[in-house]
Amino acid sequence: MKKEKKKSGPITAEFQSKKAESSSGMADMTAYGKTVTLKFTNEKGREKTENFKSKNGTRFCIEKSGKEECYLGLKTIGNTMAAAGSLNSLSFDFSSFYKILYEESGYMVLVDPLLSSDFIIKIPAQEKGLYTNKSSNDKLRKNVSEYLKCDSFVFENYDFKTLEGLIKVLEDYKNNCSK
């Protein structure tokens, strides 16, 4: 596990285009949700700006209405739309920043900040997260089986479309499958 270094200051993360900025008039879709810019004062008292990429597993938190919201840069599998977008951009970066909705001992349920129905589960044994509602039921069953690698896990017993259902998936996996 990497040693975390906490920095604080004004943070900028763009998840969607405000207006097309490029000379061609086309928005650069490859940047949205993949980069976070932090302005902070270093140990010497100097103002610094640093960019963080989602593909590096960066985590950041913001305070919103008195509550802390955290985001994690995560590579994902099971999202054919993101894969198609990355293929078109030639970046092959299947990562983005996702909002953490649930976290317990490294088990997480995350969501795409722009699409509140796009859930991702993440278990400590896997480097990547798994989209749970981007595929047909048959494809999702196959993806879940390969992702969790747990013979006793019965796919039909769970709801993969709701936060509560996914928390139950992770709790049961943690109690019955993790080693």
Side-chain angles (χ1 to χ4, degrees):
M1 184 114 190
K2 292 186 284 189
K3 184 172 175 15
E4 292 182 18
K5 186 174 181 184
K6 184 174 182 176
K7 296 177 182 178
S8 60
I11 195 162
T12 303
E14 287 187 48
F15 291 102
Q16 61 188 350
S17 171
K18 291 187 181 103
K19 62 182 177 181
E21 300 273 337
S22 73
S23 59
S24 68
M26 295 291 291
D28 179 10
M29 296 300 289
T30 61
Y32 300 121
K34 293 186 181 296
T35 306
V36 169
T37 303
L38 175 69
K39 288 186 178 182
F40 63 98
T41 304
N42 69 8
E43 301 83 26
K44 297 177 183 175
R46 293 197 179 115
E47 289 268 320
K48 292 280 190 183
T49 300
E50 196 169 342
N51 291 314
F52 299 92
K53 302 275 186 201
S54 59
K55 67 181 179 183
N56 297 329
T58 301
R59 179 187 184 116
F60 70 92
C61 299
I62 58 171
E63 193 167 305
K64 193 172 180 180
S65 306
K67 286 185 165 181
E68 187 177 70
E69 286 184 0
C70 293
Y71 295 77
L72 178 67
L74 185 64
K75 294 175 185 172
T76 58
I77 55 176
N79 180 3
T80 53
M81 293 307 288
S86 289
L87 291 173
N88 290 339
S89 70
L90 300 177
S91 72
F92 296 107
D93 178 2
F94 302 135
S95 71
S96 194
F97 283 102
Y98 299 100
K99 182 178 176 181
I100 301 170
L101 298 178
Y102 167 84
E103 182 174 21
E104 179 68 41
S105 306
Y107 295 87
M108 297 181 190
V109 178
L110 306 99
V111 69
D112 184 315
L114 296 180
L115 299 165
S116 60
S117 63
D118 282 6
F119 292 112
I120 297 106
I121 58 171
K122 166 82 175 71
I123 60 173
Q126 293 283 2
E127 181 186 330
K128 298 177 181 178
L130 174 68
Y131 264 88
T132 62
N133 50 347
K134 285 290 193 180
S135 308
S136 66
N137 250 9
D138 288 341
K139 181 71 172 160
L140 179 59
R141 181 184 295 109
K142 180 180 181 289
N143 288 348
V144 167
S145 174
E146 289 174 8
Y147 186 79
L148 296 179
K149 296 182 174 108
C150 177
D151 294 337
S152 65
F153 190 85
V154 180
F155 177 84
E156 289 74 17
N157 292 350
Y158 300 95
D159 179 359
F160 285 86
K161 306 287 185 212
T162 66
L163 174 60
E164 297 76 19
L166 293 171
I167 291 171
K168 182 162 177 39
V169 166
L170 294 178
E171 287 174 347
D172 287 358
Y173 174 85
K174 182 179 169 186
N175 292 331
N176 301 315
C177 302
S178 65
K179 294 166 183 73

Coordinates of all heavy atoms in Angstrom, one line a residue, residues 11-71:
I11 N -9.5 23.0 -4.8 CA -9.4 21.9 -5.8 C -10.3 22.1 -6.9 O -11.4 22.6 -6.8 CB -9.7 20.6 -5.0 CG1 -9.2 19.4 -5.8 CG2 -11.1 20.4 -4.7 CD1 -9.0 18.1 -5.0
T12 N -9.9 21.7 -8.1 CA -10.7 21.8 -9.3 C -10.8 20.4 -10.0 O -9.7 19.8 -10.2 CB -10.1 22.8 -10.3 OG1 -10.0 24.0 -9.7 CG2 -11.0 22.9 -11.6
A13 N -12.0 19.9 -10.2 CA -12.2 18.7 -11.0 C -13.3 18.9 -11.9 O -14.4 19.3 -11.5 CB -12.5 17.5 -10.0
E14 N -13.1 18.7 -13.2 CA -14.1 18.9 -14.2 C -14.6 17.5 -14.7 O -13.9 16.7 -15.1 CB -13.6 19.6 -15.5 CG -13.3 21.1 -15.2 CD -12.9 21.8 -16.4 OE1 -13.6 21.7 -17.5 OE2 -12.0 22.6 -16.4
F15 N -15.9 17.3 -14.5 CA -16.6 16.1 -14.9 C -17.4 16.2 -16.2 O -17.8 15.2 -16.8 CB -17.5 15.5 -13.8 CG -16.7 15.1 -12.6 CD1 -16.5 15.8 -11.5 CD2 -16.0 13.9 -12.6 CE1 -15.8 15.4 -10.4 CE2 -15.2 13.4 -11.6 CZ -15.1 14.2 -10.4
Q16 N -17.6 17.5 -16.6 CA -18.3 17.7 -17.9 C -17.9 19.0 -18.4 O -17.3 19.9 -17.7 CB -19.8 17.6 -17.7 CG -20.3 18.6 -16.7 CD -21.8 18.4 -16.5 OE1 -22.4 17.6 -17.1 NE2 -22.4 19.0 -15.5
S17 N -18.1 19.2 -19.7 CA -17.7 20.5 -20.4 C -18.7 21.6 -20.1 O -19.9 21.4 -20.0 CB -17.8 20.2 -21.9 OG -17.6 21.4 -22.6
K18 N -18.1 22.8 -19.8 CA -18.9 24.0 -19.7 C -19.1 24.6 -21.0 O -20.1 25.1 -21.4 CB -18.2 25.0 -18.8 CG -18.2 24.5 -17.3 CD -17.6 25.6 -16.4 CE -17.6 25.1 -15.0 NZ -16.2 24.7 -14.6
K19 N -18.0 24.5 -21.9 CA -18.1 25.0 -23.3 C -16.9 24.4 -24.0 O -15.9 24.0 -23.4 CB -18.1 26.5 -23.4 CG -16.8 27.1 -22.9 CD -16.9 28.6 -23.0 CE -15.7 29.2 -22.4 NZ -15.6 30.6 -22.4
A20 N -17.0 24.2 -25.3 CA -15.9 23.6 -26.0 C -14.8 24.6 -26.0 O -14.9 25.7 -26.4 CB -16.4 23.3 -27.4
E21 N -13.6 24.1 -25.6 CA -12.5 25.0 -25.5 C -11.4 24.9 -26.6 O -10.6 25.7 -26.8 CB -11.8 24.8 -24.1 CG -12.7 25.0 -22.9 CD -12.7 26.4 -22.5 OE1 -11.7 27.2 -22.7 OE2 -13.6 26.9 -21.8
S22 N -11.4 23.7 -27.3 CA -10.3 23.5 -28.2 C -10.5 24.3 -29.5 O -11.6 24.8 -29.8 CB -10.2 22.0 -28.5 OG -11.3 21.6 -29.4
S23 N -9.4 24.4 -30.2 CA -9.4 25.2 -31.4 C -10.4 24.6 -32.5 O -10.9 25.3 -33.3 CB -8.0 25.3 -32.0 OG -7.5 24.0 -32.3
S24 N -10.6 23.3 -32.4 CA -11.5 22.7 -33.4 C -13.0 22.9 -33.0 O -13.9 22.5 -33.8 CB -11.2 21.2 -33.5 OG -11.5 20.5 -32.3
G25 N -13.2 23.4 -31.8 CA -14.6 23.6 -31.3 C -15.1 22.3 -30.7 O -16.3 22.3 -30.3
M26 N -14.3 21.3 -30.6 CA -14.8 20.0 -30.0 C -14.2 19.9 -28.6 O -13.1 20.3 -28.3 CB -14.2 18.8 -30.8 CG -14.7 18.7 -32.2 SD -16.5 18.3 -32.3 CE -16.4 16.6 -31.7
A27 N -15.0 19.5 -27.7 CA -14.6 19.3 -26.3 C -13.7 18.1 -26.2 O -13.9 17.1 -26.9 CB -15.8 19.1 -25.4
D28 N -12.7 18.2 -25.4 CA -11.7 17.1 -25.2 C -12.3 16.2 -24.1 O -12.1 16.4 -22.9 CB -10.4 17.6 -24.8 CG -9.4 16.5 -24.5 OD1 -9.7 15.3 -24.8 OD2 -8.3 16.8 -24.0
M29 N -13.1 15.2 -24.5 CA -13.7 14.3 -23.6 C -12.7 13.4 -22.8 O -13.1 12.8 -21.8 CB -14.7 13.3 -24.4 CG -15.8 14.1 -25.0 SD -16.9 15.0 -23.9 CE -17.7 13.6 -23.1
T30 N -11.5 13.3 -23.2 CA -10.6 12.4 -22.5 C -10.1 13.0 -21.2 O -9.7 12.3 -20.4 CB -9.3 12.2 -23.4 OG1 -8.7 13.5 -23.6 CG2 -9.6 11.6 -24.7
A31 N -10.3 14.3 -21.0 CA -9.8 15.0 -19.8 C -10.9 14.9 -18.7 O -10.5 15.0 -17.5 CB -9.4 16.4 -20.0
Y32 N -12.1 14.9 -19.0 CA -13.2 15.0 -18.0 C -13.2 13.8 -17.1 O -13.2 12.6 -17.5 CB -14.6 15.1 -18.6 CG -14.6 16.4 -19.5 CD1 -14.9 16.3 -20.8 CD2 -14.3 17.6 -18.9 CE1 -15.0 17.4 -21.6 CE2 -14.3 18.8 -19.7 CZ -14.7 18.7 -21.0 OH -14.7 19.8 -21.8
G33 N -13.1 14.1 -15.8 CA -13.2 13.1 -14.7 C -11.9 12.3 -14.6 O -11.8 11.4 -13.8
K34 N -10.8 12.7 -15.3 CA -9.5 12.0 -15.2 C -8.4 12.8 -14.5 O -7.4 12.3 -14.1 CB -9.0 11.7 -16.6 CG -9.9 10.6 -17.3 CD -9.3 10.2 -18.6 CE -10.2 9.2 -19.3 NZ -10.3 7.9 -18.6
T35 N -8.6 14.1 -14.3 CA -7.6 15.0 -13.7 C -8.2 15.9 -12.7 O -9.3 16.4 -12.8 CB -6.9 15.9 -14.8 OG1 -6.4 15.0 -15.9 CG2 -5.7 16.7 -14.3
V36 N -7.4 16.1 -11.6 CA -7.8 17.0 -10.5 C -6.6 17.9 -10.3 O -5.5 17.5 -10.3 CB -8.1 16.2 -9.2 CG1 -8.2 17.1 -8.0 CG2 -9.3 15.4 -9.4
T37 N -6.9 19.2 -10.2 CA -5.9 20.2 -9.9 C -6.1 20.8 -8.5 O -7.2 21.2 -8.1 CB -6.0 21.4 -11.0 OG1 -5.9 20.8 -12.3 CG2 -4.9 22.4 -10.8
L38 N -5.0 20.8 -7.8 CA -5.0 21.3 -6.4 C -4.0 22.4 -6.3 O -2.9 22.4 -6.7 CB -4.5 20.1 -5.5 CG -4.3 20.5 -4.0 CD1 -5.7 20.8 -3.3 CD2 -3.6 19.4 -3.2
K39 N -4.5 23.5 -5.7 CA -3.6 24.6 -5.3 C -3.4 24.6 -3.8 O -4.3 24.4 -3.0 CB -4.3 26.0 -5.7 CG -4.4 26.2 -7.2 CD -4.9 27.6 -7.4 CE -4.9 27.8 -9.0 NZ -5.3 29.1 -9.4
F40 N -2.1 24.6 -3.4 CA -1.8 24.5 -2.0 C -0.5 25.3 -1.7 O 0.2 25.7 -2.6 CB -1.6 23.0 -1.6 CG -0.4 22.3 -2.3 CD1 0.8 22.2 -1.7 CD2 -0.6 21.8 -3.6 CE1 1.8 21.6 -2.3 CE2 0.5 21.2 -4.3 CZ 1.7 21.1 -3.6
T41 N -0.3 25.5 -0.4 CA 1.0 26.1 0.0 C 1.9 25.1 0.6 O 1.5 24.3 1.4 CB 0.6 27.1 1.2 OG1 -0.4 28.0 0.7 CG2 1.8 27.9 1.6
N42 N 3.1 25.0 0.0 CA 4.1 24.0 0.4 C 4.7 24.3 1.8 O 4.4 25.4 2.4 CB 5.1 23.7 -0.7 CG 6.1 24.8 -0.9 OD1 6.1 25.8 -0.2 ND2 6.9 24.7 -2.0
E43 N 5.7 23.5 2.2 CA 6.3 23.6 3.5 C 7.1 24.9 3.6 O 7.3 25.5 4.7 CB 7.3 22.5 3.8 CG 6.7 21.1 3.8 CD 6.5 20.5 2.4 OE1 7.3 20.8 1.5 OE2 5.6 19.7 2.2
K44 N 7.5 25.4 2.5 CA 8.3 26.7 2.4 C 7.4 27.9 2.3 O 7.9 29.0 2.1 CB 9.3 26.6 1.3 CG 10.3 25.5 1.4 CD 11.2 25.5 0.2 CE 12.2 24.3 0.3 NZ 13.0 24.2 -0.9
G45 N 6.1 27.7 2.3 CA 5.2 28.8 2.2 C 4.9 29.3 0.8 O 4.3 30.4 0.6
R46 N 5.3 28.6 -0.2 CA 5.1 29.0 -1.6 C 3.8 28.3 -2.1 O 3.5 27.2 -1.8 CB 6.3 28.5 -2.4 CG 7.6 29.2 -2.1 CD 8.5 29.1 -3.3 NE 9.8 29.8 -3.0 CZ 10.9 29.2 -2.8 NH1 11.1 27.9 -2.8 NH2 12.0 30.0 -2.5
E47 N 3.1 29.1 -2.9 CA 1.9 28.6 -3.6 C 2.3 27.6 -4.7 O 3.2 27.9 -5.5 CB 1.1 29.8 -4.3 CG 0.5 30.7 -3.3 CD -1.0 30.2 -3.0 OE1 -1.7 29.8 -3.9 OE2 -1.4 30.3 -1.8
K48 N 1.7 26.5 -4.7 CA 2.0 25.5 -5.7 C 0.7 25.0 -6.4 O -0.4 25.0 -5.7 CB 2.7 24.3 -5.1 CG 4.1 24.5 -4.6 CD 5.1 24.5 -5.8 CE 6.5 24.6 -5.3 NZ 7.4 24.6 -6.4
T49 N 0.8 24.5 -7.6 CA -0.3 23.9 -8.3 C 0.1 22.5 -8.7 O 1.2 22.4 -9.3 CB -0.8 24.7 -9.5 OG1 -1.2 26.0 -9.0 CG2 -1.9 24.0 -10.2
E50 N -0.7 21.5 -8.4 CA -0.3 20.1 -8.8 C -1.5 19.4 -9.4 O -2.6 19.6 -8.9 CB 0.2 19.4 -7.5 CG 0.9 18.1 -7.8 CD 1.6 17.5 -6.6 OE1 1.8 18.2 -5.6 OE2 2.0 16.3 -6.7
N51 N -1.2 18.7 -10.5 CA -2.3 17.9 -11.1 C -2.2 16.4 -10.7 O -1.1 15.9 -10.6 CB -2.1 18.0 -12.6 CG -2.5 19.4 -13.1 OD1 -3.5 20.0 -12.7 ND2 -1.7 19.9 -14.0
F52 N -3.3 15.8 -10.5 CA -3.4 14.4 -10.1 C -4.2 13.7 -11.1 O -5.3 14.1 -11.5 CB -3.9 14.2 -8.7 CG -3.1 14.9 -7.7 CD1 -3.4 16.2 -7.3 CD2 -2.1 14.3 -7.1 CE1 -2.7 16.9 -6.3 CE2 -1.3 14.9 -6.1 CZ -1.6 16.2 -5.7
K53 N -3.8 12.5 -11.6 CA -4.5 11.7 -12.6 C -5.3 10.6 -11.9 O -4.8 9.9 -11.0 CB -3.5 11.1 -13.6 CG -2.6 12.1 -14.3 CD -3.4 12.7 -15.5 CE -2.5 13.6 -16.3 NZ -3.3 14.4 -17.1
S54 N -6.4 10.3 -12.5 CA -7.2 9.2 -11.9 C -6.5 7.8 -12.0 O -6.7 7.0 -11.2 CB -8.6 9.2 -12.6 OG -8.5 9.0 -14.0
K55 N -5.8 7.7 -13.1 CA -5.1 6.3 -13.3 C -4.1 6.0 -12.2 O -3.7 4.9 -12.1 CB -4.5 6.3 -14.7 CG -3.3 7.2 -14.9 CD -2.8 7.1 -16.3 CE -1.6 8.1 -16.5 NZ -1.1 8.0 -17.9
N56 N -3.7 7.0 -11.4 CA -2.7 6.8 -10.4 C -3.4 6.5 -9.0 O -2.7 6.4 -8.0 CB -1.8 8.0 -10.2 CG -1.0 8.2 -11.5 OD1 -0.7 7.3 -12.2 ND2 -0.7 9.5 -11.8
G57 N -4.7 6.3 -9.0 CA -5.4 5.9 -7.8 C -5.5 7.0 -6.7 O -5.7 6.8 -5.6
T58 N -5.5 8.3 -7.2 CA -5.5 9.4 -6.3 C -6.9 9.5 -5.7 O -7.9 9.2 -6.3 CB -5.3 10.7 -7.1 OG1 -4.0 10.7 -7.7 CG2 -5.4 12.0 -6.2
R59 N -6.9 9.9 -4.4 CA -8.2 10.1 -3.6 C -8.2 11.5 -3.2 O -7.2 12.1 -2.8 CB -8.1 9.2 -2.4 CG -9.3 9.3 -1.5 CD -9.1 8.5 -0.3 NE -10.3 8.5 0.5 CZ -11.0 7.4 0.8 NH1 -10.7 6.2 0.4 NH2 -12.1 7.5 1.5
F60 N -9.4 12.2 -3.4 CA -9.6 13.5 -2.9 C -11.0 13.6 -2.2 O -11.9 12.9 -2.6 CB -9.3 14.6 -4.0 CG -10.4 14.6 -5.0 CD1 -11.5 15.5 -4.9 CD2 -10.3 13.9 -6.2 CE1 -12.4 15.6 -5.9 CE2 -11.3 13.9 -7.2 CZ -12.3 14.8 -7.0
C61 N -11.0 14.6 -1.3 CA -12.3 14.8 -0.6 C -12.6 16.3 -0.6 O -11.7 17.1 -0.6 CB -12.2 14.3 0.8 SG -11.9 12.6 1.0
I62 N -13.9 16.6 -0.7 CA -14.4 18.0 -0.6 C -15.4 18.1 0.5 O -16.1 17.1 0.8 CB -15.0 18.5 -1.9 CG1 -16.1 17.6 -2.4 CG2 -13.9 18.5 -3.0 CD1 -16.9 18.1 -3.6
E63 N -15.6 19.3 1.0 CA -16.7 19.5 2.0 C -17.8 20.1 1.3 O -17.7 21.1 0.6 CB -16.2 20.3 3.2 CG -17.2 20.3 4.3 CD -16.6 20.9 5.6 OE1 -15.5 20.4 6.0 OE2 -17.2 21.8 6.1
K64 N -19.0 19.5 1.4 CA -20.2 20.0 0.7 C -21.3 20.0 1.7 O -21.7 18.9 2.2 CB -20.5 19.1 -0.5 CG -21.5 19.6 -1.5 CD -21.5 18.7 -2.7 CE -22.5 19.3 -3.7 NZ -22.6 18.4 -4.9
S65 N -21.9 21.1 2.0 CA -23.0 21.3 2.9 C -22.7 20.7 4.3 O -23.5 20.0 4.9 CB -24.3 20.7 2.4 OG -24.6 21.2 1.1
G66 N -21.4 20.9 4.7 CA -21.0 20.4 6.0 C -20.7 18.9 6.1 O -20.3 18.4 7.1
K67 N -20.7 18.2 4.9 CA -20.4 16.8 4.9 C -19.2 16.6 3.9 O -19.1 17.3 3.0 CB -21.6 16.0 4.3 CG -22.7 15.8 5.3 CD -23.8 14.9 4.6 CE -24.7 14.3 5.7 NZ -25.7 13.4 5.1
E68 N -18.4 15.6 4.2 CA -17.3 15.2 3.4 C -17.7 14.3 2.3 O -18.3 13.2 2.6 CB -16.1 14.6 4.3 CG -14.9 14.5 3.5 CD -13.7 13.9 4.3 OE1 -13.8 12.8 4.7 OE2 -12.8 14.7 4.6
E69 N -17.4 14.6 1.1 CA -17.6 13.7 -0.1 C -16.2 13.3 -0.6 O -15.4 14.2 -0.8 CB -18.3 14.4 -1.2 CG -19.8 14.6 -1.0 CD -20.5 15.2 -2.2 OE1 -19.9 15.5 -3.2 OE2 -21.7 15.4 -2.0
C70 N -16.0 12.1 -0.8 CA -14.6 11.6 -1.3 C -14.8 11.0 -2.6 O -15.8 10.3 -3.0 CB -14.0 10.6 -0.3 SG -13.6 11.5 1.3
Y71 N -13.7 11.1 -3.4 CA -13.6 10.6 -4.8 C -12.3 9.8 -4.9 O -11.3 10.1 -4.3 CB -13.6 11.7 -5.8 CG -14.9 12.5 -5.8 CD1 -15.2 13.4 -4.9 CD2 -15.9 12.2 -6.8 CE1 -16.4 14.1 -4.9 CE2 -17.1 13.0 -6.8 CZ -17.3 13.9 -5.9 OH -18.5 14.6 -5.9

